[in-house]
Amino acid sequence: MPLFISYVSYSNAGIKGMVDKPVDRTSAIGALVEKAGGKLQGAFMTTGQHDAVLVTEFPDGSDAIAIGMVAAAAGAVSKIETVRAWKMSEFKSIAEKASKLVSTYVPPGK
């Protein structure tokens, strides 16, 4: 199944909820991911630009986007960015396709 990485920023309400009732959110996130047809590979709290990072597997990217919408609609998340990820070994075939196409591309202005 394709891998997705979601960068999550909590809203003020989300942070307040975690402070008011500190819990490990892994099981709640995992249950939502599973209900949407995916598998949670990892959930991490982070420092810096984002508050959390999720690594999930879903059969389709729309499922990964849907769980972000659920969290945002509940008011717990102020921003979520989800990207598709490939293992290095999987990406080789994509680079091979690009290598075959490179001679056919004409850049703008050429």
Side-chain angles (χ1 to χ4, degrees), residues 40-107:
L40 181 64
Q41 293 294 323
F44 309 91
M45 294 302 293
T46 60
T47 57
Q49 186 176 357
H50 306 287
D51 298 316
V53 173
L54 307 177
V55 180
T56 56
E57 285 185 62
F58 282 102
D60 184 277
S62 63
D63 300 319
I65 301 304
I67 67 163
M69 292 176 69
V70 168
V77 171
S78 64
K79 181 180 177 188
I80 186 164
E81 179 182 349
T82 300
V83 298
R84 169 72 160 86
W86 290 265
K87 293 180 181 175
M88 294 291 186
S89 60
E90 296 171 328
F91 201 78
K92 180 180 178 249
S93 65
I94 295 169
E96 288 168 345
K97 287 179 186 179
S99 179
K100 291 175 185 173
L101 296 171
V102 75
S103 65
T104 61
Y105 178 69
V106 179

Side-chain angles (χ1 to χ4, degrees), residues 15-58:
I15 297 293
K16 183 171 181 350
M18 286 189 277
V19 170
D20 289 349
K21 187 177 178 184
V23 297
D24 179 347
R25 300 280 304 149
T26 305
S27 61
I29 295 165
L32 177 59
V33 169
E34 287 180 20
K35 181 76 173 176
K39 182 177 180 186
L40 181 64
Q41 293 294 323
F44 309 91
M45 294 302 293
T46 60
T47 57
Q49 186 176 357
H50 306 287
D51 298 316
V53 173
L54 307 177
V55 180
T56 56
E57 285 185 62
F58 282 102

